């Protein structure tokens, strides 16, 4: 989480400072309506600012991965920026609509507005002022659409295929909100640093929204391929899909993932890559567990010769750090990136002492045999824990098995709650926060 806290709070702080350089929370004279105008400007700046960055992240910009720890962290940031944008939009809407209701109910007296003639305004300012009524109206309806679309994105039971389709509509809603913000931002703020930053954010968000709506996200990183083999593991409710890619794939590091399209109607799904890269073979492997409607049907539907589109690679879960000693924890299907790394190490041994812990409730002997062989070839010490037979894996069990854990880095992939609990325990016992690496493989 530390990867996303800095940009999240940094963005809000930077926009707040820029806004305070341009305005004040203490207008003179200080009245309900003067403060309302000020606070609506402030909440509007923050709201469209976080939405603009969230829209930029939606285009999956590779140049931000190094700075923000990988696309998995960026998507977590995207989620919290969306939640923050929704909260700010609700506050902004209430000050606008709530005040109108209170005036209508007689709780507040409508203030007298100073009449400004077109002669007193410049050409641009006059045009913007003429758009205010329309901007307020469409902004209100865009707010209602935002509430519905973000709520659907946060409901885990809402099917992924429908989420992927409806979530794109936020790009269209964003364009309306960008127009709303551009028209209603105080005109005197545009020549100031706040205005320059807002113009940059609105431009970046608008271009990003256009890419999303046109279906061009990740287009330059897509490579076509063909399914070579499909291996089923019924007891694990998983399949292994081997894909031969055409020319164009840039190669990948173990631990990275890709967006894979097996069915154009279903769209792309993210899967961790379970193979090392060999440019001569151009073969890439995905291990896919049945966790939803689409993945549950792949075993029956996916066949040799099927066309595939693979976009990527993404992610910074690459096992690179300063430690010669590493502890890996692959819980359930979270074993996938470690399989890829072991295959890579089997080709080129690294000078690492590695312990791999694999807790699982599902068991398939053939899959375990492959995992054991991969670990042996890579020189990795494998600790297999089958629940409930072997109990629950916890930090104490790992420390007992690896006495020199303080000299190690920890790499975790699996359920987010399990990872957070292990991180808290290890950090509380003296491990550096930066030495616990966790893949946040949740794209919504």
């Amino acid at each position: 989480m530390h990867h996303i806290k800095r940009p999240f709070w940094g963005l809000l702080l930077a926009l707040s400072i820029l806004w305070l350089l341009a305005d004040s929370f203490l207008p003179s004279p200080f009245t309900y309506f003067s403060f309302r105008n000020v606070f609506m400007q402030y909440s509007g700046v923050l709201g469209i600012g976080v939405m603009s960055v969230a829209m930029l992240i939606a285009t999956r910009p590779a140049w931000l991965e190094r700075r923000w720890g990988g696309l998995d962290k960026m998507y977590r940031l995207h989620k919290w920026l969306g939640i923050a944008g929704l909260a700010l939009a609700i506050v902004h809407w209430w000050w606008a609509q709530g005040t109108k209701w209170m005036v209508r109910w007689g709780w507040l007296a409508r203030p007298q507005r100073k009449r400004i003639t077109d002669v007193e305004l410049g050409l641009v300012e006059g045009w913007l002022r003429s758009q205010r009524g329309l901007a307020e109206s469409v902004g209100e309806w865009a707010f209602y659409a935002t509430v519905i679309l973000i709520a659907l994105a946060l409901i885990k039971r809402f099917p992924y295929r429908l989420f992927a389709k409806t979530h794109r509509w936020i790009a269209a809603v964003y364009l309306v909100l960008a127009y709303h913000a551009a028209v209603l931002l105080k005109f005197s703020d545009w020549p100031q640093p706040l205005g320059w930053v807002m113009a940059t954010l609105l431009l970046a968000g608008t271009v990003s929204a256009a890419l999303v709506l046109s279906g061009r996200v990740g287009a330059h990183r897509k490579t076509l391929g063909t399914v070579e083999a499909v291996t089923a593991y019924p007891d694990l409710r998983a399949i292994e899909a081997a894909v031969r890619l055409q020319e164009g794939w840039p190669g990948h590091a173990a631990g990275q993932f890709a967006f894979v399209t097996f069915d154009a109607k279903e769209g792309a799904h993210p899967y961790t890559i379970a193979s090392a890269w060999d440019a001569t073979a151009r073969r890439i492997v995905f291990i896919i567990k049945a966790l939803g409607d689409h993945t549950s049907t792949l075993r029956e539907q996916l066949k040799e010769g099927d066309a595939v589109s693979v976009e990527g690679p993404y992610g910074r879960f690459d096992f690179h750090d300063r430690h010669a000693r590493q502890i890996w924890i692959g819980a359930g299907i979270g074993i996938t990136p470690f399989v890829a790394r072991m295959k890579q190490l089997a080709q080129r041994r690294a000078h690492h002492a590695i312990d791999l812990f694999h807790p699982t409730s599902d068991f398939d002997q053939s899959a375990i045999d492959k995992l054991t062989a991969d670990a042996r070839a890579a020189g990795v010490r494998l600790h297999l824990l089958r629940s409930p037979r072997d109990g629950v894996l916890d930090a104490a069990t790992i420390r007992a098995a690896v006495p020199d854990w303080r000299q190690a880095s920890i790499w975790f992939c699996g359920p987010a709650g399990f990872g957070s609990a292990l991180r808290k325990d290890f950090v509380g016992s003296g491990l550096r926060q930066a030495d616990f690496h966790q893949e946040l493989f949740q794209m919504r």
Side-chain angles (χ1 to χ4, degrees):
M1 288 293 287
H2 66 284
H3 285 286
I4 69 171
K5 286 180 179 178
R6 288 193 293 267
F8 179 83
W9 292 111
L11 174 63
L12 292 176
L13 179 62
L15 290 175
S16 295
I17 291 173
L18 288 170
W19 187 85
L20 286 171
L21 291 174
D23 214 320
S24 168
F25 282 118
L26 300 173
S28 182
F30 188 89
T31 65
Y32 172 87
F33 283 97
S34 64
F35 179 77
R36 170 185 180 257
N37 292 338
V38 164
F39 191 79
M40 285 189 65
Q41 286 285 314
Y42 175 63
S43 60
V45 163
L46 292 186
I48 198 64
V50 298
M51 288 182 185
S52 297
V53 177
M55 188 58 61
L56 174 63
I57 293 174
T59 64
R60 304 198 271 268
W63 56 274
L64 278 177
E65 284 201 271
R66 181 178 296 275
R67 292 177 175 83
W68 289 348
L71 188 61
D72 60 315
K73 312 301 188 300
M74 290 165 59
Y75 265 99
R76 183 64 64 90
L77 175 60
H78 173 85
K79 173 182 176 180
W80 283 105
L81 288 172
I83 293 172
L86 176 60
L88 289 163
I90 291 173
V91 172
H92 186 80
W93 170 84
W94 169 251
W95 277 91
Q97 291 302 119
T99 297
K100 293 178 181 178
W101 293 338
M102 287 187 283
V103 169
R104 191 179 307 151
W105 297 335
W107 295 1
L108 292 171
R110 187 187 301 274
Q112 293 293 324
R113 293 184 178 179
K114 179 183 177 182
R115 186 174 181 180
I116 301 176
T117 64
D118 293 340
V119 176
E120 300 176 70
L121 305 174
L123 181 62
V124 175
E125 186 177 3
W127 182 84
L128 289 173
R129 185 171 291 272
S130 72
Q131 297 292 304
R132 291 180 67 88
L134 177 60
E136 290 176 354
S137 179
V138 297
E140 180 183 351
W141 286 104
F143 162 75
Y144 299 138
T146 300
V147 171
I148 294 171
L149 293 172
I150 293 181
L152 289 176
L154 296 174
I155 298 172
K156 296 295 185 182
R157 289 184 175 274
F158 190 60
Y160 183 89
R161 68 182 185 280
L162 297 179
F163 154 76
K165 293 176 181 178
T166 58
H167 204 57
R168 287 182 61 190
W169 299 347
I170 290 184
V173 175
Y174 171 84
L175 294 176
V176 176
L177 292 173
Y179 164 75
H180 171 88
V183 169
L184 296 178
L185 181 68
K186 193 160 65 174
F187 188 75
S188 60
D189 289 343
W190 284 113
Q192 302 189 55
L194 173 64
W196 307 340
V197 171
M198 290 306 298
T200 301
L201 289 174
L202 289 172
L203 178 60
T206 298
V207 172
S208 299
L211 288 174
V212 171
L213 291 173
S214 63
R216 297 294 299 168
V217 172
H220 66 291
R221 305 190 72 181
K222 291 181 179 178
T223 306
L224 299 179
T226 305
V227 175
E228 274 195 339
V230 180
T231 304
Y233 299 99
D235 293 334
L236 299 181
R237 295 177 293 114
I239 64 168
E240 180 181 286
V243 176
R244 180 175 175 78
L245 295 175
Q246 297 178 11
E247 296 288 349
W249 183 254
H252 60 268
Q256 292 191 294
F257 65 93
F259 286 87
V260 185
T261 303
F262 292 115
D263 181 350
K265 293 181 180 178
E266 177 69 25
H269 285 248
Y271 301 115
T272 300
I273 301 168
S275 60
W277 177 244
D278 181 349
T280 58
R282 300 203 308 275
R283 194 171 187 264
I284 191 169
V285 176
F286 300 99
I287 298 176
I288 304 167
K289 188 160 186 174
L291 298 174
D293 294 342
H294 174 63
T295 50
S296 297
T297 62
L298 280 179
R299 179 183 171 188
E300 290 75 28
Q301 294 183 356
L302 201 59
K303 298 178 178 60
E304 292 181 26
D306 285 353
V308 181
S309 172
V310 182
E311 176 197 334
Y314 294 103
R316 302 290 299 174
F317 193 79
D318 55 11
F319 303 96
H320 295 156
D321 62 19
R322 61 187 178 85
H323 294 278
R325 165 68 112 158
Q326 292 185 344
I327 298 171
W328 299 349
I329 306 162
I333 196 63
I335 192 64
T336 308
F338 304 105
V339 171
R341 180 60 171 170
M342 287 191 295
K343 291 184 181 299
Q344 187 180 57
L345 291 179
Q347 298 173 355
R348 184 185 71 254
R349 283 288 182 95
H351 299 292
H352 287 91
I354 302 169
D355 284 81
L356 168 60
F357 293 84
H358 177 47
T360 180
S361 58
D362 299 321
F363 188 86
D364 183 284
Q365 189 60 54
S366 63
I368 293 301
D369 290 343
K370 285 185 177 181
L371 182 65
T372 302
D374 284 338
R376 186 182 304 113
V380 172
R381 188 161 67 132
L382 176 64
H383 305 261
L384 178 67
L385 294 92
R386 183 181 177 186
S387 61
R389 185 192 68 185
D390 300 321
V392 178
L393 179 66
D394 57 17
T397 303
I398 296 171
R399 285 193 288 266
V402 188
D404 59 344
W405 61 271
R406 286 185 176 85
Q407 284 73 53
S409 60
I410 297 178
W411 296 78
F412 174 89
C413 186
F418 181 27
S420 296
L422 288 176
R423 177 192 293 273
K424 183 178 179 180
D425 195 313
F426 274 106
V427 171
S429 300
L431 187 77
R432 290 176 63 247
Q433 179 83 244
D435 287 335
F436 193 103
H437 306 271
Q438 181 176 357
E439 179 85 319
L440 300 176
F441 203 71
Q442 293 179 327
M443 298 298 122
R444 58 181 295 191

